[in-house]
Amino acid sequence: MSNSFGKIFKITTYGESHGVGIGVIIDGCPAGVDVDEDLIRVEMQRRKPGQSKITTQRKEEDEVEILSGVFEGKTTGTPLALSIRNQDQKSKDYSHIKDSYRPSHADYTYDKKYGVRDYRGGGRSSARETAARVAAGAIAKMFLAHYGIKVQAYVSQVGDFKLKKHYSQMDLSRAEENIVRCPDAETAEKMIELIDETRKNRDTIGGIVSCLIENVPVGLGEPVFDKLHAVLGQAMLSINAVKGFEYGSGFEGVKMYGSEHNDVFVKEGDKIVTRTNHSGGIQGGISNGEDIYMNVAFKPIATIMNDQESIDKEGNKVTVSGKGRHDPCVVPRAVPIVEAMAALTIADFILRAKTSKIE
Amino acid sequence: MSNSFGKIFKITTYGESHGVGIGVIIDGCPAGVDVDEDLIRVEMQRRKPGQSKITTQRKEEDEVEILSGVFEGKTTGTPLALSIRNQDQKSKDYSHIKDSYRPSHADYTYDKKYGVRDYRGGGRSSARETAARVAAGAIAKMFLAHYGIKVQAYVSQVGDFKLKKHYSQMDLSRAEENIVRCPDAETAEKMIELIDETRKNRDTIGGIVSCLIENVPVGLGEPVFDKLHAVLGQAMLSINAVKGFEYGSGFEGVKMYGSEHNDVFVKEGDKIVTRTNHSGGIQGGISNGEDIYMNVAFKPIATIMNDQESIDKEGNKVTVSGKGRHDPCVVPRAVPIVEAMAALTIADFILRAKTSKIE
Amino acid sequence: MSNSFGKIFKITTYGESHGVGIGVIIDGCPAGVDVDEDLIRVEMQRRKPGQSKITTQRKEEDEVEILSGVFEGKTTGTPLALSIRNQDQKSKDYSHIKDSYRPSHADYTYDKKYGVRDYRGGGRSSARETAARVAAGAIAKMFLAHYGIKVQAYVSQVGDFKLKKHYSQMDLSRAEENIVRCPDAETAEKMIELIDETRKNRDTIGGIVSCLIENVPVGLGEPVFDKLHAVLGQAMLSINAVKGFEYGSGFEGVKMYGSEHNDVFVKEGDKIVTRTNHSGGIQGGISNGEDIYMNVAFKPIATIMNDQESIDKEGNKVTVSGKGRHDPCVVPRAVPIVEAMAALTIADFILRAKTSKIE
Amino acid sequence: MSNSFGKIFKITTYGESHGVGIGVIIDGCPAGVDVDEDLIRVEMQRRKPGQSKITTQRKEEDEVEILSGVFEGKTTGTPLALSIRNQDQKSKDYSHIKDSYRPSHADYTYDKKYGVRDYRGGGRSSARETAARVAAGAIAKMFLAHYGIKVQAYVSQVGDFKLKKHYSQMDLSRAEENIVRCPDAETAEKMIELIDETRKNRDTIGGIVSCLIENVPVGLGEPVFDKLHAVLGQAMLSINAVKGFEYGSGFEGVKMYGSEHNDVFVKEGDKIVTRTNHSGGIQGGISNGEDIYMNVAFKPIATIMNDQESIDKEGNKVTVSGKGRHDPCVVPRAVPIVEAMAALTIADFILRAKTSKIE
């Protein structure tokens, strides 16, 4: 009951990092969506390991095969099954982590919850699962394209090093021009330096991904528990390593007075807009047509290359040492994941909004 | 499809601020929970308006009637219906807001989404709905009491004014000893002063509610989309005026290195614990038995007593002026609401965890 | 998790037969539906006890109060809460059934499942719960009226005594002209006689309710598990005392050859229709625009006025004797319940169909 | 939102008859279930085409690959993905049905609902989808084995030819000894003869599958909408070609008096049992520990080898002729499908029952 997201445009993911494969079923995607398999490939490339010196050097090809739900280039209204075979599923030596609980990993909690655990490389708790989300998110983006909605994420902070510019002051598409995915070239360079240094120290560091959703129609979101930002929040917090979420004025907003914070409505031509946008495009849980923007905080990932103290199942002290190839900082590769979760959330609410009134 | 929260311990709320009444159905509460109606009353008192000089002076009695699901002091496993009649539902003059869109309220988005709107006092978008959550949360707390789990929230920031102490350095139960619900008396005084001043300026101000959940068993939460903190995040973000959520190291955690952030496991007697708790009691989305703690950011509420510029349905400029009695700062009364949502979330995950393995 | 029906137009009922009250929340009804409270009253009258000599003489007024979700005669898109207070909730003597397990009642299964049970008059397992369904069904009918869809049920069998005519040969609205709700006056008379005789023998007898749904648009229903007839089946089988469900050719259809059973498509004017309708208006789980018709089999209800042998909680033999006023045959009062469940099902599928394709 | 079944032990199927493949995700299966891949193979063999002269001669190998959720022979609590590649997905000539609406098929309703349709061999509406159900049902059976629960279906009617014996008078396991899957050898022979004759006439015929579920614990099922038999009903009615469902006394029960129909409780040793079992093992929607039994009515399948009149998309008259290899009677191969749906339903309710009371 736990591996699904969405109520109408609904995804269910499966798969472990070192099992046969991972994948996702999208159930509830309307018929008639134009499917471009190349776009799936592009998104997978953005997430995949080994893409630059500041990401893990692990190789995963992440070829997505569409097993169902698409016919002659269009969705048919039946479930889309997207399958990704694992490449390196075989038989490495995991004896070093089989019985140990790596610090800040899910080894201990999985063992206690399930009693049995696929200990190879994190199993289900591995961020490899997000590859399935990115594949599904690509379909969601194709659906959103029918409505002209655009989702764009970028890295706005690495460690203590924060991008100062407001999103409106930058060309966000330039985020893809550098390996850290920060739309400001100068800042990007410094971020890359910091990550590279961290990598050399065999350590990891956290960061923030910001996300902008443009051209959202008025009326998405539900009044109470499924407020648009509440579900966006769940979506983002469900990504591995995320510790915080804010939208609109966010945590800074608590310092403001209502007279400053309130967004005054004005009429611009035929359109009702707001003069400021502290609301972040959502009022009373429902989109108001302005830009939706948010920040997603990622902790430093737990796998570091230096030795760490820990214990094994019996409670004996052990030394855990990172093996393999891991990211020193997760945010560059998290950008397409944040976009995928945003796109999936918006897609679901577009469908939900179709039943809000008699027409 | 939008007014429910929880998958097994599931609540559905109904009601508008100025309709006949509001209420909640709890479906999925197990049979055999000891119900103490006095505890419901206590929680309702903590949320109700008019409780101090820094909250709204509006009077609402908020008497909760249990219509079903309880028999001879115990839940029966069938739905509990909790009903709260509105007192002042009648016929005030709302012509001043009927056709106007108040800044940063849900008037505009409701109108666009539904085409029809109960404009009396905010209707369904009113924070009055949270009274139903608090009533349900009281039942959830009674359920959690069978497991020894304790939920305790408090105010940790008002405007720019932030409580400096860590939760472990304070006796949180003292939060109830002052009207702002901050467990540190000295800080509380200053917060009260700031709110009172804001009130005199006919303005409003934001704040942060922190929440601690103690004695949670290992194993609550699901691996992927329903990570424990992700659903807690949705729960909190669904409360009116919330703009941000963080748990454990939160937004500060992004600045840390993995080597600092990782929580090392140690054995203490028979128990496995962690030496630090940057994880906030949750690893891989699943509780690890440590304290769960989080911060919830509230913006300044939108209704201010000063005149504001806005527009009406036709796009004509109008002046909107706050009437009635409203809170200058929402956080003191938000404390029991945060607790209610935390309790409801944990209750649901306790039940969900019962099916995780064959025993 | 068990007291809800529907996925978008979703109802949740609550209440025990002798608690404070019963009721229902309708969540997901679109805004803008015209609400006529008189029609609710009419439906409640059709279901209520004491309406004729062949139903129970018990008096229940079943006044429905709308607590929320309706404003100025229209639904607002927020949850409708419909509340019915119990009249005779007080303190009769139930000691005769408190510890006994009445034959073919739910006493034993409830006790085992929940460990605690409201033994007064059947508690939650009482057919009194269906009053809430009828109230919700009245709202569903108002929603369907916007689409011109009509639901009409009637009694087609009592005991061994079966109505011979096809629905198309009768004016179904005449079912309301007699107390057994059979549209054929002559047959009705014989059915009434049989029920009356059964009543005099202090016994009960079963029967069949048939239901016709007209003017359903093409395209309702989902391809696999939520085939339209599968959900209609669940809806009907969820009514107290129902033992069987069939639609279209039903159980008789198993005797036919494909060459007889297949419904040939023909064009009539601009419309595609079928020459026969063994499909019962549903093909591949999806409505095809033809009449949907079905039969619902009700067993004789378990409460009989004669003494019966049984056991108590400890397994001691006891004699159980029916007290109070009960129906000798449930089908006349089941007619509006069957209609309510049909209307609720169709309403849900109308909303679900709104998201099946990009338009 | 439509391709899932179950609330906790939940399956989602995907795939078209002539796409790349079909499959199923099982989400919510507890960790620790012993998985025997051979048993999956056995079930697939029972369903597969080409197994005898009275089934279609089409060859499908239906090899099931487990992609996730099983580790070292046990389920891990994470989703199981079961994948079945289609063998003959390629490029036959479907021009004869591309634009035609075959009588009593889903061609017309799919076209209207989705606007786009995979016309190759029925696409999603093909009974090929049930292969995924049988695979998932095999896992459900393995789960049920931990509780000693046994599900056994058999053919009890073909056309007008009905098995006279009560299930308790036969050794049901003998159903697998003949190709029609009727446990009475003599009757089986006559059924086979009837089907074979029908096949020679290039026609099809209907039938009934009966199902027995033994050793079910007391307490499965929910009081109102999710009564155990109501969900079993939906499960069975969701199988292709099913027109009716009854359990316990079923349609015959309507003819009985309450005094005959009531099942008297008696104590047998330590156990409470009922003397008769007209209730079919379910009272008030909840299992009472007695045998659960039911009948499922299948119409003659729509694809016949003789020419039929129909129309195309434009409404022009066309002649449709059955091509390929199809079953003259669906019930022999439906036996494992009925078992699968029964097993999946019971598995879900076992998990749901785990949260019914505080323990």
Side-chain angles (χ1 to χ4, degrees):
Chain A
M1 67 184 313
S2 57
N3 294 276
S4 295
F5 181 77
K7 293 208 170 157
I8 299 186
F9 196 108
K10 186 174 188 167
I11 63 168
T12 305
T13 70
Y14 65 85
E16 283 79 40
S17 60
H18 291 70
V20 181
I22 64 169
V24 58
I25 295 183
I26 308 170
D27 193 6
C29 180
V33 175
D34 295 314
V35 175
D36 178 350
E37 296 200 36
D38 281 340
L39 291 183
I40 303 178
R41 228 163 274 133
V42 168
E43 295 298 318
M44 298 308 286
Q45 291 293 328
R46 294 174 73 207
R47 194 211 77 98
K48 85 166 181 181
Q51 59 186 266
S52 80
K53 68 172 180 178
I54 59 167
T55 65
T56 165
Q57 296 306 301
R58 212 167 55 234
K59 289 274 180 288
E60 291 168 9
E61 271 322 305
D62 290 348
E63 192 109 14
V64 177
E65 186 182 22
I66 302 180
L67 303 179
S68 64
V70 178
F71 188 60
E72 299 178 345
K74 281 186 187 298
T75 59
T76 59
T78 64
L80 285 84
L82 309 183
S83 166
I84 306 167
R85 312 290 289 199
N86 286 332
Q87 306 274 312
D88 58 346
Q89 67 193 77
K90 286 267 154 55
S91 56
K92 264 186 281 177
D93 184 12
Y94 290 96
S95 54
H96 65 297
I97 54 170
K98 184 178 171 184
D99 296 317
S100 300
Y101 296 140
R102 290 168 297 163
S104 288
H105 269 277
D107 304 336
Y108 171 64
T109 53
Y110 267 62
D111 247 14
K112 288 289 170 185
K113 185 179 184 74
Y114 297 112
V116 52
R117 174 170 62 95
D118 181 347
Y119 48 74
R120 298 170 301 170
R124 182 73 180 149
S125 73
S126 163
R128 175 141 186 74
E129 183 270 342
T130 58
R133 304 192 194 196
V134 169
I139 302 290
K141 283 184 169 185
M142 294 171 205
F143 172 65
L144 296 186
H146 287 256
Y147 296 85
I149 299 169
K150 213 181 137 191
V151 178
Q152 172 78 57
Y154 59 95
V155 171
S156 61
Q157 185 166 344
V158 172
D160 208 359
F161 200 66
K162 195 169 185 165
L163 173 64
K164 293 291 190 303
K165 292 179 185 159
H166 188 254
Y167 70 79
S168 61
Q169 298 169 300
M170 300 176 290
D171 175 0
L172 298 188
S173 70
R174 303 198 60 180
E176 295 301 308
E177 294 176 3
N178 58 66
I179 58 179
V180 77
R181 293 205 166 88
C182 173
D184 184 71
E186 207 177 331
T187 313
E189 214 166 304
K190 289 173 188 161
M191 287 172 167
I192 293 168
E193 214 170 298
L194 174 55
I195 296 174
D196 208 35
E197 192 185 317
T198 304
R199 183 182 61 79
K200 286 174 187 154
N201 293 337
R202 306 171 68 83
D203 211 335
T204 59
I205 191 148
I208 290 180
V209 175
S210 297
C211 185
L212 173 70
I213 316 175
E214 291 169 289
N215 208 21
V216 176
V218 190
L220 305 192
E222 310 281 350
V224 183
F225 301 107
D226 287 0
K227 289 183 165 80
L228 181 51
H229 57 265
V231 179
L232 281 169
Q234 188 206 340
M236 297 307 158
L237 287 155
S238 80
I239 300 172
N240 305 48
V242 173
K243 304 296 281 189
F245 169 84
E246 60 180 0
Y247 82 105
S249 61
F251 274 87
E252 281 304 302
V254 309
K255 302 176 186 167
M256 294 171 79
Y257 289 103
S259 53
E260 305 168 79
H261 193 279
N262 281 354
D263 297 320
V264 173
F265 287 108
V266 290
K267 193 146 185 185
E268 246 178 34
D270 274 357
K271 233 184 128 185
I272 290 173
V273 298
T274 60
R275 202 175 283 156
T276 51
N277 185 17
H278 297 114
S279 298
I282 303 172
Q283 291 175 327
I286 299 168
S287 63
N288 68 357
E290 303 293 314
D291 289 344
I292 295 175
Y293 60 96
M294 66 199 80
N295 292 319
V296 185
F298 290 79
K299 67 162 191 171
I301 60 169
T303 304
I304 61 178
M305 292 299 109
N306 288 315
D307 284 359
Q308 295 181 89
E309 180 187 337
S310 193
I311 58 173
D312 65 13
K313 283 189 179 188
E314 271 67 48
N316 304 312
K317 283 197 183 175
V318 295
T319 297
V320 172
S321 47
K323 285 195 181 167
R325 294 143 298 173
H326 294 276
D327 287 284
C329 181
V330 78
V331 287
R333 288 178 57 214
V335 164
I337 306 170
V338 165
E339 288 180 9
M341 292 311 298
L344 288 161
T345 306
I346 298 296
D348 191 40
F349 277 104
I350 282 180
L351 295 179
R352 290 165 77 165
K354 287 194 182 300
T355 64
S356 60
K357 59 183 165 190
I358 286 271
E359 277 170 309
Chain B
M1 65 188 310
S2 56
N3 294 275
S4 295
F5 182 78
K7 292 208 171 157
I8 298 186
F9 195 107
K10 185 174 189 168
I11 64 167
T12 305
T13 70
Y14 65 85
E16 283 78 39
S17 60
H18 290 71
V20 180
I22 64 169
V24 59
I25 296 183
I26 307 169
D27 193 7
C29 180
V33 174
D34 296 314
V35 175
D36 178 350
E37 296 200 35
D38 282 340
L39 291 184
I40 303 177
R41 228 163 274 133
V42 167
E43 295 298 318
M44 297 309 286
Q45 291 293 327
R46 292 174 74 208
R47 197 212 74 100
K48 86 165 180 183
Q51 59 185 269
S52 81
K53 67 171 180 176
I54 59 166
T55 65
T56 165
Q57 296 306 300
R58 212 170 53 237
K59 289 273 181 288
E60 291 168 8
E61 273 320 307
D62 290 348
E63 191 109 15
V64 177
E65 187 182 23
I66 300 179
L67 301 180
S68 66
V70 178
F71 188 60
E72 297 177 345
K74 279 186 189 301
T75 58
T76 59
T78 63
L80 285 84
L82 309 183
S83 166
I84 305 166
R85 311 290 289 198
N86 287 334
Q87 306 273 311
D88 58 348
Q89 68 194 78
K90 286 267 152 54
S91 56
K92 263 186 279 180
D93 185 11
Y94 289 95
S95 54
H96 64 298
I97 53 168
K98 185 178 171 185
D99 297 317
S100 301
Y101 296 141
R102 290 169 297 164
S104 288
H105 270 276
D107 305 336
Y108 171 65
T109 53
Y110 267 62
D111 247 15
K112 288 289 170 185
K113 185 180 184 73
Y114 297 113
V116 50
R117 173 170 64 94
D118 181 346
Y119 49 75
R120 298 169 301 171
R124 181 73 180 149
S125 72
S126 164
R128 175 141 186 74
E129 184 269 343
T130 58
R133 304 191 194 196
V134 169
I139 302 290
K141 283 183 169 185
M142 294 170 205
F143 171 66
L144 296 185
H146 286 255
Y147 297 85
I149 299 169
K150 213 182 137 190
V151 178
Q152 173 79 57
Y154 59 95
V155 171
S156 61
Q157 185 167 344
V158 171
D160 208 0
F161 201 67
K162 196 168 184 167
L163 175 63
K164 294 290 190 302
K165 292 179 184 159
H166 187 254
Y167 71 80
S168 63
Q169 298 169 301
M170 301 177 290
D171 175 358
L172 297 190
S173 70
R174 303 199 59 180
E176 294 301 309
E177 293 177 4
N178 58 64
I179 58 179
V180 76
R181 293 204 166 88
C182 173
D184 183 71
E186 207 176 329
T187 313
E189 215 165 304
K190 287 173 190 162
M191 286 172 168
I192 293 167
E193 214 169 297
L194 174 55
I195 296 174
D196 209 33
E197 192 184 316
T198 305
R199 183 182 60 79
K200 284 174 189 153
N201 293 336
R202 307 171 68 79
D203 212 334
T204 59
I205 192 151
I208 290 179
V209 175
S210 297
C211 184
L212 174 69
I213 315 175
E214 290 170 291
N215 208 21
V216 176
V218 189
L220 305 193
E222 311 280 350
V224 183
F225 301 108
D226 288 0
K227 290 184 164 79
L228 182 52
H229 57 266
V231 179
L232 280 168
Q234 189 206 342
M236 297 308 159
L237 287 156
S238 79
I239 301 172
N240 306 47
V242 173
K243 304 296 283 187
F245 169 84
E246 60 180 1
Y247 82 104
S249 61
F251 275 86
E252 281 303 303
V254 308
K255 302 177 188 167
M256 296 171 78
Y257 289 104
S259 53
E260 306 167 78
H261 193 281
N262 281 353
D263 298 319
V264 172
F265 288 109
V266 290
K267 193 148 185 184
E268 247 177 32
D270 274 356
K271 233 185 128 184
I272 290 173
V273 298
T274 60
R275 200 176 283 155
T276 51
N277 185 17
H278 297 114
S279 298
I282 303 172
Q283 290 175 328
I286 299 169
S287 62
N288 68 357
E290 303 294 313
D291 291 342
I292 295 174
Y293 60 96
M294 67 200 79
N295 293 318
V296 186
F298 291 79
K299 67 162 188 171
I301 60 169
T303 304
I304 61 177
M305 291 300 110
N306 288 316
D307 284 359
Q308 295 181 90
E309 181 186 337
S310 194
I311 59 172
D312 65 14
K313 283 188 179 188
E314 270 69 46
N316 304 313
K317 284 198 181 176
V318 295
T319 297
V320 171
S321 46
K323 285 198 180 164
R325 293 143 296 174
H326 294 275
D327 288 285
C329 181
V330 78
V331 287
R333 288 178 55 213
V335 164
I337 305 169
V338 165
E339 288 180 8
M341 292 312 298
L344 288 161
T345 305
I346 299 296
D348 190 40
F349 277 103
I350 282 180
L351 295 178
R352 291 165 77 164
K354 285 193 184 300
T355 63
S356 60
K357 60 184 163 189
I358 287 270
E359 276 169 312
Chain C
M1 64 188 311
S2 57
N3 294 276
S4 295
F5 181 77
K7 293 208 170 157
I8 299 187
F9 195 107
K10 187 174 189 169
I11 64 168
T12 305
T13 70
Y14 64 85
E16 282 79 40
S17 60
H18 290 71
V20 180
I22 64 169
V24 60
I25 295 183
I26 307 170
D27 193 6
C29 180
V33 174
D34 296 314
V35 174
D36 177 350
E37 296 200 35
D38 282 341
L39 291 184
I40 303 177
R41 228 163 274 134
V42 167
E43 295 298 318
M44 298 308 286
Q45 291 294 327
R46 292 173 74 207
R47 196 211 74 101
K48 85 164 182 183
Q51 60 186 265
S52 80
K53 69 173 179 177
I54 60 168
T55 66
T56 166
Q57 297 307 300
R58 211 168 56 237
K59 289 275 181 286
E60 292 167 10
E61 272 322 305
D62 290 348
E63 190 111 16
V64 177
E65 187 182 22
I66 300 179
L67 302 179
S68 65
V70 178
F71 188 60
E72 298 178 345
K74 279 186 187 300
T75 58
T76 60
T78 64
L80 285 85
L82 309 183
S83 166
I84 305 167
R85 312 289 290 200
N86 286 333
Q87 306 274 311
D88 58 347
Q89 67 192 78
K90 285 268 152 56
S91 54
K92 265 186 280 179
D93 185 11
Y94 289 95
S95 55
H96 65 297
I97 54 170
K98 183 178 172 185
D99 296 317
S100 300
Y101 296 140
R102 291 167 297 163
S104 289
H105 270 276
D107 305 337
Y108 171 64
T109 52
Y110 268 61
D111 247 15
K112 288 289 170 185
K113 184 179 185 74
Y114 298 113
V116 51
R117 174 171 62 96
D118 181 348
Y119 48 74
R120 299 169 302 170
R124 182 71 180 150
S125 73
S126 164
R128 175 143 185 73
E129 183 270 342
T130 58
R133 304 190 193 196
V134 169
I139 301 291
K141 283 183 169 186
M142 293 171 205
F143 171 66
L144 296 185
H146 286 256
Y147 297 85
I149 298 168
K150 213 182 136 190
V151 178
Q152 172 78 57
Y154 58 95
V155 171
S156 62
Q157 186 166 342
V158 172
D160 208 359
F161 201 67
K162 195 170 185 164
L163 174 63
K164 294 291 189 302
K165 292 180 185 158
H166 187 255
Y167 70 80
S168 62
Q169 298 168 301
M170 300 178 290
D171 174 0
L172 297 189
S173 70
R174 303 199 59 180
E176 294 301 308
E177 293 178 3
N178 58 65
I179 58 178
V180 78
R181 293 203 166 88
C182 173
D184 183 72
E186 208 176 329
T187 313
E189 213 165 303
K190 286 171 189 163
M191 286 172 167
I192 293 168
E193 214 170 296
L194 174 55
I195 296 174
D196 208 34
E197 193 184 315
T198 304
R199 182 182 62 77
K200 284 174 189 154
N201 293 337
R202 307 172 67 81
D203 212 335
T204 59
I205 191 149
I208 290 179
V209 176
S210 297
C211 184
L212 174 69
I213 315 175
E214 291 169 290
N215 207 20
V216 176
V218 189
L220 306 192
E222 311 279 351
V224 182
F225 300 108
D226 288 1
K227 289 184 165 80
L228 181 52
H229 58 265
V231 179
L232 280 168
Q234 188 206 341
M236 297 308 158
L237 287 156
S238 80
I239 301 172
N240 307 47
V242 172
K243 304 295 282 188
F245 169 85
E246 61 180 0
Y247 82 104
S249 61
F251 275 86
E252 281 303 303
V254 310
K255 302 177 187 166
M256 296 169 79
Y257 289 103
S259 53
E260 304 167 81
H261 193 280
N262 281 354
D263 297 319
V264 172
F265 288 109
V266 289
K267 194 148 186 184
E268 248 178 31
D270 275 357
K271 234 183 128 183
I272 290 173
V273 300
T274 60
R275 200 176 282 155
T276 51
N277 185 16
H278 297 114
S279 298
I282 303 172
Q283 291 176 327
I286 299 169
S287 61
N288 68 357
E290 302 295 312
D291 291 343
I292 296 174
Y293 60 95
M294 66 199 80
N295 293 318
V296 186
F298 290 80
K299 67 163 189 171
I301 60 170
T303 305
I304 61 179
M305 292 300 109
N306 288 316
D307 286 359
Q308 295 181 91
E309 180 186 337
S310 194
I311 59 172
D312 65 15
K313 283 189 178 189
E314 271 68 47
N316 304 313
K317 283 198 183 175
V318 295
T319 297
V320 172
S321 46
K323 282 196 183 168
R325 295 144 297 172
H326 294 274
D327 288 284
C329 180
V330 79
V331 286
R333 288 179 56 212
V335 164
I337 305 169
V338 165
E339 288 180 9
M341 292 312 298
L344 288 161
T345 304
I346 299 295
D348 190 40
F349 277 103
I350 282 181
L351 295 178
R352 291 165 77 165
K354 285 192 184 301
T355 63
S356 61
K357 59 183 163 191
I358 287 269
E359 278 171 309
Chain D
M1 66 188 310
S2 55
N3 294 276
S4 296
F5 181 77
K7 293 208 170 157
I8 298 186
F9 196 107
K10 186 175 188 166
I11 64 167
T12 305
T13 69
Y14 65 85
E16 283 78 40
S17 60
H18 290 69
V20 180
I22 64 169
V24 59
I25 294 182
I26 307 170
D27 193 7
C29 180
V33 175
D34 296 315
V35 175
D36 178 349
E37 296 199 38
D38 282 340
L39 292 183
I40 303 177
R41 228 162 275 132
V42 168
E43 295 298 319
M44 297 309 285
Q45 291 293 329
R46 294 173 73 209
R47 196 211 75 100
K48 87 165 180 184
Q51 59 186 268
S52 80
K53 67 171 180 179
I54 60 167
T55 65
T56 166
Q57 296 306 301
R58 214 170 50 237
K59 288 275 180 289
E60 291 168 9
E61 272 320 306
D62 291 349
E63 191 110 13
V64 177
E65 187 183 22
I66 301 180
L67 303 179
S68 65
V70 178
F71 188 61
E72 298 177 345
K74 279 186 189 297
T75 59
T76 60
T78 63
L80 286 84
L82 310 183
S83 166
I84 306 166
R85 312 289 291 198
N86 286 333
Q87 307 274 311
D88 57 347
Q89 67 194 79
K90 286 266 153 55
S91 54
K92 263 185 281 176
D93 184 11
Y94 289 96
S95 55
H96 64 298
I97 54 169
K98 183 178 172 186
D99 297 315
S100 300
Y101 296 141
R102 290 168 296 164
S104 288
H105 270 276
D107 305 335
Y108 171 65
T109 53
Y110 267 61
D111 247 14
K112 288 289 171 184
K113 185 179 183 75
Y114 297 113
V116 50
R117 173 170 63 95
D118 181 346
Y119 48 75
R120 299 169 301 171
R124 182 72 179 150
S125 73
S126 164
R128 175 141 185 75
E129 183 270 342
T130 58
R133 305 191 192 195
V134 169
I139 302 289
K141 283 184 168 184
M142 294 171 204
F143 171 66
L144 296 186
H146 286 257
Y147 297 86
I149 299 168
K150 213 183 136 190
V151 178
Q152 173 79 56
Y154 58 95
V155 170
S156 62
Q157 186 166 344
V158 172
D160 208 0
F161 201 67
K162 195 170 186 165
L163 174 64
K164 293 291 190 299
K165 292 180 185 159
H166 187 253
Y167 70 80
S168 62
Q169 298 168 301
M170 301 176 290
D171 174 359
L172 298 189
S173 70
R174 304 199 58 180
E176 295 300 309
E177 293 177 2
N178 57 65
I179 57 178
V180 76
R181 295 204 164 87
C182 173
D184 184 70
E186 207 176 330
T187 313
E189 214 166 306
K190 287 172 190 164
M191 287 172 168
I192 293 167
E193 213 169 300
L194 174 54
I195 296 173
D196 209 34
E197 192 183 317
T198 304
R199 182 182 61 78
K200 285 173 188 155
N201 293 336
R202 306 172 66 81
D203 212 335
T204 60
I205 191 150
I208 290 180
V209 175
S210 296
C211 184
L212 174 69
I213 315 174
E214 292 170 288
N215 208 21
V216 176
V218 189
L220 306 192
E222 311 280 350
V224 182
F225 300 107
D226 288 0
K227 290 184 165 79
L228 181 51
H229 58 266
V231 179
L232 280 168
Q234 189 206 341
M236 298 307 159
L237 287 155
S238 79
I239 301 172
N240 305 47
V242 172
K243 305 296 283 187
F245 169 85
E246 61 180 0
Y247 81 105
S249 61
F251 275 86
E252 279 305 302
V254 309
K255 302 177 187 167
M256 295 170 79
Y257 289 103
S259 52
E260 304 167 80
H261 193 279
N262 282 353
D263 297 319
V264 172
F265 288 109
V266 290
K267 192 147 185 184
E268 246 178 31
D270 275 357
K271 233 184 130 184
I272 291 173
V273 297
T274 60
R275 200 174 286 153
T276 51
N277 184 18
H278 297 113
S279 298
I282 304 172
Q283 290 176 328
I286 299 168
S287 62
N288 68 357
E290 303 294 314
D291 290 343
I292 295 175
Y293 60 96
M294 67 199 79
N295 293 318
V296 185
F298 291 78
K299 66 162 189 172
I301 59 168
T303 304
I304 61 178
M305 293 298 111
N306 287 315
D307 285 357
Q308 295 180 90
E309 181 187 336
S310 193
I311 59 173
D312 65 15
K313 283 190 179 186
E314 271 67 48
N316 304 312
K317 284 198 182 176
V318 294
T319 297
V320 172
S321 47
K323 285 197 181 165
R325 295 143 297 174
H326 294 274
D327 288 285
C329 181
V330 79
V331 287
R333 288 179 55 212
V335 164
I337 306 170
V338 165
E339 288 180 9
M341 292 311 299
L344 288 161
T345 305
I346 298 296
D348 190 41
F349 277 104
I350 281 180
L351 295 179
R352 290 166 77 165
K354 286 195 182 299
T355 63
S356 61
K357 60 183 164 190
I358 286 271
E359 276 170 309

